[in-house]
Amino acid sequence: MKIALLGYGKMGKEIERIALERNHEILMRIDSFEDWNEHIYDFLKVDVAIEFSTPATVLDNIMKCFSANVPVVVGTTSWYSQLDTVRELCIEKNQTLFYAINFSVGVNIFFQINKKLAQLMNSHSEYEVYMEEIHHAQKLDAPSGTAITLADDIISTLNRKENWINNLDESGDVLGIKSVRESNVPGTHIITYESANDMIEIKHTAKNRLGFAIGAMLAAEFIAGKKGIYEMKDMLF
Ligand SMILES: NC(=O)c1ccc[n+]([C@@H]2O[C@H](COP(=O)([O-])OP(=O)(O)OC[C@H]3O[C@@H](n4cnc5c(N)ncnc54)[C@H](O)[C@@H]3O)[C@@H](O)[C@H]2O)c1
């Protein structure tokens, strides 16, 4: 496939490595608004775009893909307040969008385990639940998008939790989340259920960024020749 990398930072470079290993061609690399000027004609030849840029630039890049009929895989986070509008536009314009808050296959399995555990805990109110997420110090958002998804899944499954807050001291009907920022941590999420007598912890640790890059590459291959909106569950389960 001929690929456009929209965002050529840490993730863009990792995806490039995987794409080349899988015999794809990187036709263009966009790392700023200005980069578009020299690549506007190349974009017409692209089979799929993979977007890992910034919350401030992702919507403009998605719109460019929709306008040029280029299927797009979106990994950038913190734009989901606009998700409904983007989904509507995608359908209206008969375009192709694959988005995921987390492209790691392991994290998506972890999402399912989290929901199952919350379901089991509905009949065990002696357990308090809380969450910790650890990421590299450059990460701007807290809690992480992955932590928010995990928290939303707990709230919608576990009857005794109504909301989450970025503060571990909370309990009652509020799920406490602690965000820790340390150097060189790609992403760790720990969910703990604790009673007076024991603790159950489920934990996902990303060892590197490769897992996200492979998932995004698989998503790009998955949407080739398809129309519509896709998420990880459509590809994995
Ligand atoms: N969904 C996932 O699985 C997943 C995994 C890792 C990171 N992310 C997200 O992906 C995004 C990028 O992560 P990163 O670690 O590569 O960040 P990064 O800061 O290393 O890279 C972002 C790049 O975007 C570039 N950029 C700026 N303006 C642009 C524009 N108009 N068009 C294209 N690129 C532009 C920047 O120059 C920078 O190189 C973040 O939002 C991050 O949270 C998602």
Side-chain angles (χ1 to χ4, degrees):
M1 291 191 302
K2 292 183 173 54
I3 296 175
L5 293 176
L6 310 184
Y8 193 55
K10 293 183 282 298
M11 282 304 300
K13 292 188 176 85
E14 199 77 45
I15 290 163
E16 176 176 55
R17 214 158 54 78
I18 304 294
L20 295 176
E21 269 174 30
R22 294 172 77 90
N23 295 320
H24 299 301
E25 185 186 347
I26 307 297
L27 211 62
M28 52 191 273
R29 297 164 188 81
I30 300 290
D31 206 39
S32 67
F33 282 118
E34 293 69 35
D35 286 347
W36 278 105
N37 299 332
E38 56 182 287
H39 286 293
I40 207 77
Y41 293 108
D42 293 334
F43 202 40
L44 301 172
K45 299 178 222 150
V46 155
D47 296 311
V48 64
I50 306 182
E51 215 286 350
F52 280 77
S53 68
T54 72
T57 52
V58 56
L59 289 177
D60 180 64
N61 285 333
I62 294 174
M63 292 311 138
K64 284 189 165 86
C65 293
F66 287 178
S67 300
N69 256 322
V70 173
V72 60
V73 171
V74 180
T76 302
T77 49
S78 298
W79 59 277
Y80 295 113
S81 59
Q82 303 298 311
L83 182 60
D84 288 347
T85 313
V86 171
R87 287 180 65 103
E88 273 168 33
L89 270 173
C90 182
I91 306 252
E92 190 185 303
K93 292 172 171 272
N94 194 27
Q95 293 302 311
T96 312
L97 169 72
F98 192 129
Y99 67 94
I101 195 92
N102 195 311
F103 275 100
S104 150
V105 172
V107 161
N108 283 273
I109 294 168
F110 191 65
F111 285 154
Q112 303 296 321
I113 296 169
N114 175 49
K115 280 192 265 192
K116 182 70 196 170
L117 184 54
Q119 197 184 6
L120 290 170
M121 284 296 175
N122 265 327
S123 37
H124 298 283
S125 59
E126 67 275 25
Y127 285 88
E128 179 56 277
V129 57
Y130 50 92
M131 190 190 311
E132 183 171 333
E133 57 101 351
I134 313 166
H135 280 87
H136 54 90
Q138 296 83 39
K139 187 163 181 64
L140 298 176
D141 49 330
S144 69
T146 300
I148 292 174
T149 300
L150 289 163
D152 285 345
D153 285 345
I154 291 172
I155 286 159
S156 59
T157 312
L158 188 64
N159 298 332
R160 58 185 179 275
K161 291 292 170 190
E162 299 287 328
N163 221 326
W164 60 262
I165 193 164
N166 206 201
N167 175 359
L168 203 53
D169 296 332
E170 288 292 333
S171 59
D173 62 358
V174 181
L175 166 67
I177 305 176
K178 181 179 177 188
S179 296
V180 179
R181 296 291 172 259
E182 289 173 3
S183 54
N184 296 326
V185 179
T188 299
H189 295 84
I190 308 159
I191 296 155
T192 306
Y193 285 83
E194 183 167 359
S195 75
N197 306 316
D198 62 1
M199 283 164 78
I200 300 172
E201 274 186 1
I202 55 169
K203 175 176 181 180
H204 179 273
T205 308
K207 291 182 172 178
N208 48 49
R209 290 189 175 80
L210 201 59
F212 309 125
I214 291 172
M217 195 62 246
L218 291 175
E221 291 169 357
F222 178 80
I223 58 172
K226 291 190 176 77
K227 291 285 179 192
I229 301 170
Y230 300 92
E231 298 178 57
M232 290 298 270
K233 61 180 163 47
D234 302 313
M235 184 169 78
L236 294 181
F237 304 115

Coordinates of all heavy atoms in Angstrom, one line a residue, residues 57-123:
T57 N -4.3 19.5 15.5 CA -4.2 19.4 14.0 C -4.9 18.2 13.5 O -5.1 18.1 12.3 CB -2.7 19.2 13.6 OG1 -2.1 18.2 14.4 CG2 -1.9 20.5 13.9
V58 N -5.4 17.3 14.3 CA -6.0 16.1 13.9 C -7.3 16.3 13.0 O -7.4 15.7 12.0 CB -6.3 15.1 15.0 CG1 -7.1 15.7 16.1 CG2 -6.9 13.8 14.6
L59 N -8.1 17.2 13.4 CA -9.4 17.4 12.7 C -9.1 17.9 11.3 O -9.7 17.4 10.3 CB -10.3 18.4 13.4 CG -10.9 17.8 14.7 CD1 -11.7 18.9 15.4 CD2 -11.7 16.6 14.5
D60 N -8.2 18.9 11.1 CA -7.8 19.4 9.8 C -7.3 18.2 8.9 O -7.7 18.1 7.8 CB -6.8 20.5 10.0 CG -6.4 21.0 8.6 OD1 -7.2 21.6 8.0 OD2 -5.2 20.8 8.3
N61 N -6.5 17.4 9.5 CA -6.0 16.2 8.7 C -7.1 15.2 8.3 O -7.1 14.7 7.2 CB -4.8 15.5 9.5 CG -3.6 16.3 9.5 OD1 -3.3 17.1 8.6 ND2 -2.8 16.2 10.6
I62 N -8.0 15.0 9.2 CA -9.1 14.1 8.9 C -9.9 14.6 7.8 O -10.3 13.9 6.8 CB -10.0 13.8 10.1 CG1 -9.2 13.0 11.2 CG2 -11.2 13.0 9.7 CD1 -10.0 12.9 12.5
M63 N -10.2 16.0 7.8 CA -11.0 16.6 6.8 C -10.3 16.5 5.4 O -10.9 16.3 4.4 CB -11.3 18.1 7.1 CG -12.2 18.2 8.3 SD -13.7 17.1 8.2 CE -13.9 16.5 9.8
K64 N -9.0 16.7 5.5 CA -8.2 16.6 4.2 C -8.4 15.2 3.6 O -8.5 15.0 2.4 CB -6.7 16.9 4.4 CG -6.5 18.4 4.6 CD -5.0 18.7 4.6 CE -4.7 20.2 4.4 NZ -4.7 21.0 5.7
C65 N -8.3 14.2 4.5 CA -8.5 12.8 4.0 C -9.9 12.6 3.4 O -10.0 12.0 2.3 CB -8.3 11.8 5.2 SG -6.6 11.8 5.8
F66 N -10.9 13.1 4.1 CA -12.3 12.9 3.6 C -12.4 13.6 2.2 O -13.1 13.1 1.3 CB -13.3 13.5 4.6 CG -13.5 12.7 5.8 CD1 -14.4 13.2 6.8 CD2 -12.9 11.5 6.0 CE1 -14.6 12.4 8.0 CE2 -13.1 10.7 7.2 CZ -14.0 11.2 8.2
S67 N -11.8 14.8 2.1 CA -11.9 15.6 0.8 C -11.2 14.9 -0.3 O -11.6 15.0 -1.5 CB -11.4 17.0 1.0 OG -12.0 17.6 2.0
A68 N -10.2 14.1 0.0 CA -9.3 13.5 -1.1 C -9.7 12.0 -1.2 O -9.0 11.3 -2.0 CB -7.9 13.7 -0.7
N69 N -10.7 11.5 -0.6 CA -11.1 10.1 -0.7 C -10.0 9.2 -0.2 O -9.9 8.1 -0.8 CB -11.4 9.8 -2.2 CG -12.8 9.7 -2.5 OD1 -13.6 9.2 -1.6 ND2 -13.2 10.2 -3.6
V70 N -9.3 9.6 0.8 CA -8.3 8.7 1.4 C -8.7 8.1 2.7 O -9.0 8.9 3.7 CB -7.0 9.6 1.6 CG1 -5.9 8.7 2.3 CG2 -6.4 10.1 0.3
P71 N -8.8 6.8 2.8 CA -9.2 6.2 4.1 C -8.1 6.6 5.2 O -6.9 6.6 4.9 CB -9.1 4.7 3.8 CG -9.1 4.5 2.3 CD -8.6 5.8 1.8
V72 N -8.6 6.8 6.4 CA -7.7 7.3 7.4 C -7.8 6.5 8.7 O -8.9 6.2 9.2 CB -7.8 8.8 7.6 CG1 -9.3 9.2 8.1 CG2 -6.8 9.4 8.6
V73 N -6.6 6.2 9.3 CA -6.5 5.5 10.6 C -6.1 6.6 11.5 O -5.0 7.3 11.3 CB -5.4 4.4 10.6 CG1 -5.1 3.9 12.0 CG2 -5.8 3.3 9.6
V74 N -6.8 6.9 12.6 CA -6.5 8.0 13.5 C -6.2 7.5 14.9 O -7.0 6.8 15.6 CB -7.7 9.0 13.6 CG1 -7.4 10.1 14.6 CG2 -8.1 9.5 12.3
G75 N -4.9 7.8 15.3 CA -4.4 7.4 16.6 C -4.4 8.6 17.6 O -4.3 8.4 18.8
T76 N -4.3 9.8 17.0 CA -4.3 11.0 17.9 C -5.5 10.9 18.9 O -6.6 10.6 18.5 CB -4.3 12.2 17.0 OG1 -3.2 12.2 16.1 CG2 -4.2 13.5 17.9
T77 N -5.2 11.4 20.1 CA -6.2 11.3 21.1 C -6.7 12.8 21.5 O -6.2 13.7 20.9 CB -5.7 10.6 22.4 OG1 -4.5 11.2 22.8 CG2 -5.6 9.1 22.2
S78 N -7.6 12.9 22.4 CA -8.1 14.2 22.9 C -8.8 15.0 21.8 O -8.7 16.3 21.8 CB -6.9 15.1 23.5 OG -6.4 14.4 24.5
W79 N -9.6 14.4 20.9 CA -10.4 15.1 20.0 C -11.8 14.6 20.0 O -12.7 15.0 19.2 CB -9.9 15.1 18.6 CG -9.7 13.7 18.0 CD1 -8.7 12.8 18.2 CD2 -10.7 13.0 17.2 NE1 -9.0 11.6 17.6 CE2 -10.2 11.7 17.0 CE3 -11.9 13.3 16.7 CZ2 -10.8 10.7 16.2 CZ3 -12.6 12.3 15.9 CH2 -12.1 11.0 15.7
Y80 N -12.1 13.7 21.0 CA -13.4 12.9 20.9 C -14.6 13.7 21.2 O -15.7 13.3 20.9 CB -13.3 11.7 21.8 CG -12.2 10.7 21.3 CD1 -11.1 10.5 22.1 CD2 -12.4 10.1 20.1 CE1 -10.1 9.6 21.6 CE2 -11.4 9.2 19.6 CZ -10.3 9.0 20.4 OH -9.3 8.1 19.9
S81 N -14.5 15.0 21.7 CA -15.7 15.8 21.8 C -16.2 16.1 20.4 O -17.4 16.5 20.3 CB -15.3 17.1 22.5 OG -14.3 17.8 21.8
Q82 N -15.4 15.9 19.4 CA -15.9 16.2 18.0 C -16.2 14.9 17.3 O -16.5 14.9 16.1 CB -14.7 16.9 17.2 CG -14.2 18.2 17.8 CD -15.3 19.2 17.8 OE1 -16.0 19.4 16.8 NE2 -15.5 19.8 19.0
L83 N -16.2 13.8 18.0 CA -16.3 12.5 17.4 C -17.7 12.3 16.6 O -17.7 11.9 15.5 CB -16.2 11.4 18.4 CG -16.3 9.9 17.9 CD1 -15.2 9.7 16.8 CD2 -16.2 8.9 19.0
D84 N -18.8 12.8 17.3 CA -20.1 12.6 16.6 C -20.1 13.4 15.3 O -20.6 12.8 14.3 CB -21.2 13.1 17.5 CG -21.4 12.2 18.7 OD1 -20.9 11.1 18.7 OD2 -22.1 12.6 19.7
T85 N -19.6 14.6 15.3 CA -19.6 15.4 14.0 C -18.8 14.7 12.9 O -19.2 14.6 11.8 CB -19.0 16.8 14.3 OG1 -19.6 17.3 15.5 CG2 -19.2 17.7 13.2
V86 N -17.6 14.2 13.4 CA -16.7 13.5 12.4 C -17.3 12.3 11.9 O -17.3 12.0 10.6 CB -15.3 13.3 13.0 CG1 -14.4 12.4 12.2 CG2 -14.6 14.6 13.4
R87 N -18.0 11.5 12.7 CA -18.6 10.3 12.3 C -19.7 10.6 11.3 O -19.9 9.9 10.2 CB -19.2 9.5 13.5 CG -18.2 8.9 14.4 CD -18.9 8.2 15.5 NE -19.7 7.1 15.1 CZ -19.4 5.8 15.2 NH1 -18.3 5.4 15.7 NH2 -20.3 4.9 14.7
E88 N -20.5 11.6 11.6 CA -21.6 12.0 10.6 C -21.1 12.4 9.3 O -21.6 12.0 8.2 CB -22.4 13.2 11.2 CG -23.5 12.9 12.1 CD -24.1 14.1 12.9 OE1 -24.1 15.2 12.3 OE2 -24.4 13.9 14.1
L89 N -20.0 13.2 9.3 CA -19.3 13.6 8.0 C -18.8 12.5 7.2 O -18.9 12.4 6.0 CB -18.2 14.6 8.3 CG -18.5 16.1 8.4 CD1 -17.3 16.9 8.9 CD2 -19.0 16.6 7.0
C90 N -18.2 11.5 8.0 CA -17.6 10.3 7.3 C -18.7 9.6 6.5 O -18.5 9.2 5.4 CB -17.0 9.4 8.4 SG -16.2 8.0 7.7
I91 N -19.9 9.4 7.2 CA -21.0 8.6 6.6 C -21.6 9.5 5.4 O -21.7 9.0 4.3 CB -22.1 8.4 7.6 CG1 -21.5 7.7 8.8 CG2 -23.3 7.6 7.0 CD1 -21.8 6.3 9.1
E92 N -21.8 10.8 5.7 CA -22.4 11.6 4.7 C -21.5 11.7 3.4 O -22.0 11.7 2.3 CB -22.5 13.0 5.3 CG -23.3 14.1 4.5 CD -23.1 15.4 5.3 OE1 -23.5 15.5 6.5 OE2 -22.6 16.4 4.7
K93 N -20.2 11.7 3.6 CA -19.3 11.8 2.4 C -18.8 10.4 1.9 O -18.0 10.4 1.0 CB -18.1 12.6 2.8 CG -18.4 14.1 3.1 CD -17.1 14.8 3.6 CE -17.2 16.3 3.7 NZ -16.9 17.0 2.5
N94 N -19.4 9.4 2.5 CA -19.0 8.0 2.1 C -17.5 7.8 2.2 O -16.9 7.3 1.2 CB -19.6 7.7 0.7 CG -19.5 6.2 0.3 OD1 -19.6 5.4 1.2 ND2 -19.4 5.9 -1.0
Q95 N -17.0 8.1 3.3 CA -15.5 8.0 3.5 C -15.2 6.8 4.5 O -16.1 6.1 4.9 CB -14.9 9.3 4.0 CG -15.0 10.4 3.0 CD -14.3 10.0 1.7 OE1 -13.2 9.6 1.7 NE2 -15.0 10.2 0.5
T96 N -13.9 6.7 4.8 CA -13.5 5.6 5.7 C -12.6 6.1 6.8 O -11.6 6.8 6.6 CB -12.6 4.6 4.9 OG1 -13.3 4.3 3.6 CG2 -12.4 3.3 5.6
L97 N -13.1 5.7 8.1 CA -12.4 6.2 9.3 C -12.2 5.0 10.2 O -13.1 4.3 10.5 CB -13.2 7.3 10.0 CG -12.8 7.7 11.4 CD1 -11.6 8.5 11.3 CD2 -14.0 8.5 12.0
F98 N -11.0 4.8 10.7 CA -10.7 3.8 11.7 C -10.0 4.6 12.9 O -9.0 5.2 12.7 CB -9.7 2.7 11.2 CG -9.6 1.5 12.1 CD1 -9.8 0.2 11.6 CD2 -9.3 1.6 13.5 CE1 -9.6 -0.9 12.4 CE2 -9.2 0.5 14.3 CZ -9.4 -0.7 13.8
Y99 N -10.7 4.6 14.0 CA -10.1 5.4 15.1 C -10.0 4.5 16.4 O -10.8 3.6 16.5 CB -10.9 6.6 15.5 CG -12.3 6.4 16.0 CD1 -12.5 6.3 17.4 CD2 -13.4 6.2 15.1 CE1 -13.8 6.1 17.8 CE2 -14.6 5.9 15.6 CZ -14.9 5.9 17.0 OH -16.1 5.6 17.4
A100 N -9.0 4.7 17.2 CA -8.9 3.9 18.4 C -8.2 4.8 19.4 O -7.1 5.4 19.1 CB -8.1 2.7 18.2
I101 N -8.7 4.8 20.6 CA -8.0 5.5 21.7 C -6.7 4.8 22.0 O -5.7 5.4 22.5 CB -8.9 5.5 23.0 CG1 -8.5 6.5 24.0 CG2 -9.1 4.2 23.6 CD1 -9.1 7.8 23.9
N102 N -6.6 3.5 21.7 CA -5.4 2.7 22.0 C -5.4 1.6 21.0 O -6.2 0.7 20.9 CB -5.5 2.1 23.4 CG -4.1 1.6 23.9 OD1 -3.5 0.9 23.1 ND2 -3.7 2.1 25.0
F103 N -4.3 1.5 20.2 CA -4.2 0.6 19.1 C -3.5 -0.7 19.6 O -3.3 -1.6 18.8 CB -3.4 1.2 17.9 CG -4.3 1.9 17.0 CD1 -4.4 3.3 17.0 CD2 -5.1 1.2 16.1 CE1 -5.2 4.0 16.2 CE2 -5.9 1.9 15.2 CZ -6.0 3.3 15.3
S104 N -3.1 -0.8 20.8 CA -2.5 -2.0 21.3 C -3.5 -3.2 21.4 O -4.5 -3.0 22.0 CB -1.8 -1.8 22.7 OG -1.8 -2.9 23.5
V105 N -3.1 -4.3 20.8 CA -4.0 -5.5 20.8 C -4.2 -5.9 22.3 O -5.4 -6.1 22.8 CB -3.4 -6.6 20.0 CG1 -4.3 -7.9 20.2 CG2 -3.4 -6.2 18.5
G106 N -3.1 -5.9 23.1 CA -3.2 -6.3 24.5 C -4.1 -5.4 25.3 O -4.9 -5.8 26.1
V107 N -4.1 -4.1 25.0 CA -5.0 -3.1 25.8 C -6.4 -3.4 25.4 O -7.3 -3.3 26.3 CB -4.6 -1.7 25.5 CG1 -5.7 -0.7 25.9 CG2 -3.3 -1.3 26.3
N108 N -6.7 -3.7 24.2 CA -8.1 -4.0 23.8 C -8.6 -5.3 24.4 O -9.8 -5.4 24.8 CB -8.2 -4.0 22.3 CG -8.2 -2.5 21.8 OD1 -9.3 -1.9 21.7 ND2 -7.0 -2.0 21.5
I109 N -7.7 -6.3 24.6 CA -8.1 -7.5 25.4 C -8.3 -7.1 26.9 O -9.3 -7.5 27.5 CB -7.0 -8.5 25.3 CG1 -6.9 -9.0 23.8 CG2 -7.3 -9.7 26.2 CD1 -5.8 -9.9 23.5
F110 N -7.4 -6.2 27.4 CA -7.6 -5.7 28.8 C -8.9 -5.0 29.0 O -9.5 -5.1 30.0 CB -6.4 -4.7 29.0 CG -6.2 -4.3 30.4 CD1 -5.8 -5.2 31.4 CD2 -6.3 -3.0 30.8 CE1 -5.6 -4.8 32.7 CE2 -6.1 -2.6 32.1 CZ -5.7 -3.5 33.1
F111 N -9.3 -4.2 28.0 CA -10.7 -3.5 28.1 C -11.8 -4.6 28.4 O -12.7 -4.3 29.2 CB -11.0 -2.8 26.8 CG -10.2 -1.5 26.5 CD1 -10.0 -1.0 25.2 CD2 -9.8 -0.7 27.6 CE1 -9.3 0.1 25.0 CE2 -9.1 0.5 27.3 CZ -8.9 0.9 26.1
Q112 N -11.7 -5.7 27.7 CA -12.7 -6.7 27.8 C -12.6 -7.3 29.2 O -13.7 -7.6 29.9 CB -12.6 -7.8 26.8 CG -12.6 -7.3 25.3 CD -13.9 -6.7 24.9 OE1 -15.0 -7.2 25.3 NE2 -13.9 -5.7 24.2
I113 N -11.4 -7.6 29.7 CA -11.2 -8.2 31.1 C -11.8 -7.2 32.1 O -12.4 -7.6 33.1 CB -9.7 -8.5 31.3 CG1 -9.2 -9.6 30.3 CG2 -9.5 -8.9 32.8 CD1 -7.7 -9.7 30.3
N114 N -11.5 -5.9 31.9 CA -12.0 -4.9 32.9 C -13.5 -4.9 33.0 O -14.0 -4.9 34.1 CB -11.5 -3.5 32.4 CG -12.0 -2.4 33.2 OD1 -11.9 -2.4 34.4 ND2 -12.5 -1.4 32.5
K115 N -14.2 -5.0 31.8 CA -15.6 -5.0 31.8 C -16.2 -6.3 32.5 O -17.1 -6.2 33.3 CB -16.2 -4.9 30.4 CG -16.2 -3.5 29.8 CD -16.9 -3.4 28.6 CE -16.1 -3.6 27.4 NZ -16.6 -3.2 26.1
K116 N -15.5 -7.4 32.3 CA -16.0 -8.7 32.9 C -15.8 -8.6 34.4 O -16.7 -9.0 35.1 CB -15.1 -9.8 32.3 CG -15.5 -11.2 32.7 CD -16.9 -11.6 32.2 CE -17.4 -12.8 32.9 NZ -18.8 -13.1 32.6
L117 N -14.6 -8.1 34.8 CA -14.4 -8.0 36.3 C -15.4 -7.1 37.0 O -15.9 -7.4 38.0 CB -12.9 -7.5 36.5 CG -12.4 -7.5 38.0 CD1 -12.6 -8.8 38.7 CD2 -10.9 -7.1 38.0
A118 N -15.7 -6.0 36.3 CA -16.6 -5.0 36.9 C -18.0 -5.7 37.0 O -18.7 -5.5 38.0 CB -16.7 -3.8 36.0
Q119 N -18.3 -6.5 36.0 CA -19.6 -7.2 36.0 C -19.7 -8.2 37.2 O -20.7 -8.2 38.0 CB -19.7 -8.0 34.7 CG -21.1 -8.4 34.3 CD -20.9 -9.3 33.0 OE1 -19.9 -9.6 32.5 NE2 -22.1 -9.7 32.5
L120 N -18.6 -8.9 37.4 CA -18.5 -9.9 38.6 C -18.6 -9.1 39.9 O -19.2 -9.6 40.9 CB -17.2 -10.7 38.5 CG -17.0 -11.7 37.4 CD1 -15.6 -12.2 37.3 CD2 -18.0 -12.8 37.5
M121 N -18.1 -7.9 40.0 CA -18.0 -7.2 41.2 C -19.3 -6.6 41.6 O -19.5 -6.1 42.7 CB -16.9 -6.1 41.2 CG -15.5 -6.7 41.3 SD -15.3 -7.4 42.9 CE -13.6 -8.1 42.7
N122 N -20.3 -6.6 40.7 CA -21.6 -6.1 41.1 C -22.2 -6.8 42.3 O -23.0 -6.2 43.1 CB -22.6 -6.2 39.9 CG -22.6 -4.9 39.1 OD1 -22.5 -3.8 39.7 ND2 -22.7 -5.0 37.8
S123 N -21.9 -8.0 42.5 CA -22.5 -8.8 43.6 C -21.5 -8.9 44.8 O -21.6 -9.7 45.6 CB -23.0 -10.1 43.2 OG -22.2 -10.7 42.2

